[in-house]
Amino acid sequence: MTRRLARRLQDVPPTVFTTMSALALRTGSVNLGQGFPDEDGPPEVVRRAVAALQGGRNQYAPGPGVPELRQAVAAHQRRHYGIDLDPDREVLVTAGATEALAAAVLSLVDPGDEVAIVEPFYDAYLACVAMAGGVRRPVPLRRTASGFRLDVEALRATVTDRTSVLLLNTPHNPTGAVLDASERAAIAEVAVRHDVVVVVDEVYEHLTYDGVRHAPLAAEPGMAERTLTISSAGKTFSLTGWKVGWATGSEELVTTVMAAKQWLTFTNAAPLQPAIAYALDHEDEAVATLAADLAVRRDLLCGGLAELGLDPVVPQGTYFTLGDVRHLGWPDGEAFCRALPERAGVVAIPAQAFYDDPADGRHLIRWAFCKNRSSIERALHQLARADLTA
Ligand code: PMP
Ligand code: GLN
């Protein structure tokens, strides 16, 4: 940390993804850490971006995003979920889901406001709340026989009239949980009762398995006017480097978020936005194929990790699984992850970065299966040959 760092960022560690991907590169390890796929998304989408680059789409996009992308996002929400949005007033294009999250928290949270966060949480949430001066109130997901599930009692106890925003993610990185109907209903009930705005990050909306389907919180009774939904092209179309995302919700909420967003990037990725509009309109089949293929890779990775005693949870969605290293004698997942490149040539993510109190996630490790089958096989082979005990 530098001595000039503003106080509100002093308790925010550097993102674990940069640290662990640099470690993978430095040690030549198989990177099952940071969640980006080995293979790029649909070739026609890339061709559309090239055409836009060569076809004069290189100046600033309009503040809320190019009209065809806003229309495609609205059409996507209608087609998949029956949610009707006005593309001119209820859709905002952002620099990835990351900017949408930052703009949402910065525009909705005052210093001292309570923000309930479902935990474990994606690490950017912690940074966003810190930058806004908000006070985190974690609501845990707990491991059960059917994967990680929301602790509804804790939700009811934590969300009160003092809560300004509930921040969560489904399908859930890093646990792989997809909120079920009773969990969604409980969230809607507390949000309505305490007049809370819900910011829900649905970037893995299409990556679900075994017939489990994602259902948006915005579609729950009473939630349309109080839910800001965030998604992104990165995971759905395997184009994480493009950083094209969006936020949708009522005109009032979208206008509120725009107040901060316009001062962050203003706009981004003008030539990529029409290509993502094309992807949303025409690439449903490629997305379904990706999800089916990921299910096979999930089984490969989870099966292999289970055999090694790493106790992975079988995720219903996303491309991550969480495992427990205590069975191998490690109390501390961070130490395990630091030893792993040298012992096995593999990088994974210590999940304690996703907890308010790192001690609660100390034993958990996140493994990504968005990598090629050959990368997963190589990692499993190397793990099997290594001494993984503490
Ligand atoms: N939310 C979650 C839960 C994520 O896993 C990620 C990583 N894609 C993001 C947000 C950030 O998305 P983007 O790359 O579109 O900014
Ligand atoms: N969302 C991805 C993950 O969870 C990548 C995040 C990042 O690199 N900031 O691994």
Side-chain angles (χ1 to χ4, degrees):
M1 188 208 302
T2 74
R3 83 191 153 84
R4 295 185 191 279
L5 185 65
R7 269 193 302 281
R8 65 187 183 285
L9 281 172
Q10 286 180 3
D11 291 333
V12 180
T15 172
V16 67
F17 300 112
T18 302
T19 316
M20 298 315 281
S21 280
L23 181 65
L25 215 58
R26 203 164 62 240
T27 57
S29 296
V30 187
N31 189 353
L32 300 189
Q34 192 177 18
F36 61 89
D38 280 337
E39 265 166 38
D40 290 350
E44 182 56 24
V45 179
V46 176
R47 273 195 289 277
R48 297 265 164 168
V50 172
L53 279 161
Q54 293 178 332
R57 305 288 302 257
N58 296 299
Q59 308 310 325
Y60 295 127
V66 302
E68 63 260 55
L69 179 52
R70 282 184 275 122
Q71 281 153 16
V73 169
H76 170 276
Q77 295 305 94
R78 192 174 316 114
R79 186 168 78 250
H80 287 279
Y81 310 122
I83 292 176
D84 273 316
L85 295 167
D86 176 345
D88 294 329
R89 294 182 180 79
E90 297 178 323
V91 180
L92 177 61
V93 177
T94 56
T98 306
E99 188 197 29
L101 284 160
V105 174
L106 288 171
S107 59
L108 290 165
V109 175
D110 270 321
D113 279 359
E114 288 192 14
V115 181
I117 308 189
V118 171
E119 177 190 72
F121 43 76
Y122 180 55
D123 68 348
Y125 298 5
L126 182 145
C128 290
V129 175
M131 287 191 282
V135 179
R136 295 192 301 275
R137 294 280 183 245
V139 175
L141 287 161
R142 298 192 192 281
R143 192 164 181 176
T144 70
S146 44
F148 279 79
R149 306 283 16 138
L150 187 66
D151 182 337
V152 171
E153 286 313 304
L155 173 80
R156 293 198 177 107
T158 305
V159 177
T160 67
D161 289 345
R162 290 189 306 278
T163 309
S164 68
V165 169
L166 169 63
L167 180 52
L168 78 155
N169 160 228
T170 183
H172 186 259
N173 172 9
T175 66
V178 178
L179 288 184
D180 65 23
S182 68
E183 291 164 330
R184 295 193 307 272
I187 289 169
E189 182 206 313
V190 297
V192 170
R193 182 171 347 124
H194 298 291
D195 192 22
V196 166
V197 171
V198 175
V199 176
V200 59
D201 168 355
E202 301 184 352
V203 298
Y204 298 97
E205 60 189 312
H206 294 296
L207 305 184
T208 60
Y209 314 115
D210 307 331
V212 172
R213 299 293 293 265
H214 162 74
L217 269 176
E220 294 295 314
M223 292 298 280
E225 66 270 26
R226 64 180 62 258
T227 304
L228 186 83
T229 305
I230 291 174
S231 195
S232 146
K235 310 291 167 160
T236 300
F237 300 113
S238 298
L239 294 167
T240 61
W242 285 22
K243 298 295 281 189
V244 175
W246 48 88
T248 57
S250 67
E251 180 176 1
E252 191 201 347
L253 275 180
V254 166
T255 306
T256 303
V257 174
M258 185 67 175
K261 186 267 183 289
Q262 67 189 323
W263 305 115
L264 295 173
T265 56
F266 177 45
T267 65
N268 75 303
L272 307 182
Q273 291 190 25
I276 296 301
Y278 172 86
L280 285 169
D281 286 339
H282 296 97
E283 296 286 2
D284 279 357
E285 212 175 295
V287 178
T289 304
L290 172 66
D293 194 62
L294 280 168
V296 176
R297 288 182 261 165
R298 173 198 66 167
D299 292 345
L300 175 67
L301 180 64
C302 287
L305 294 177
E307 269 178 37
L308 294 166
L310 284 156
D311 191 24
V313 69
V314 178
Q316 300 175 305
T318 77
Y319 38 56
F320 307 109
T321 175
L322 264 193
D324 187 333
V325 284
R326 283 176 301 193
H327 307 284
L328 297 175
W330 297 82
D332 183 4
E334 171 120 33
F336 175 85
C337 287
R338 295 237 164 256
L340 208 54
E342 196 174 311
R343 291 202 190 186
V346 176
V347 159
I349 300 282
Q352 51 197 267
F354 309 139
Y355 281 82
D356 188 65
D357 178 355
D360 293 336
R362 206 159 163 244
H363 54 289
L364 296 171
I365 306 294
R366 194 193 78 174
W367 308 83
F369 55 87
C370 47
K371 314 297 173 172
N372 285 339
R373 199 184 162 87
S374 59
S375 305
I376 297 172
E377 280 167 346
R378 185 152 71 88
L380 288 173
H381 178 68
Q382 291 171 195
L383 288 167
R385 277 195 333 206
D387 175 11
L388 297 180
T389 53

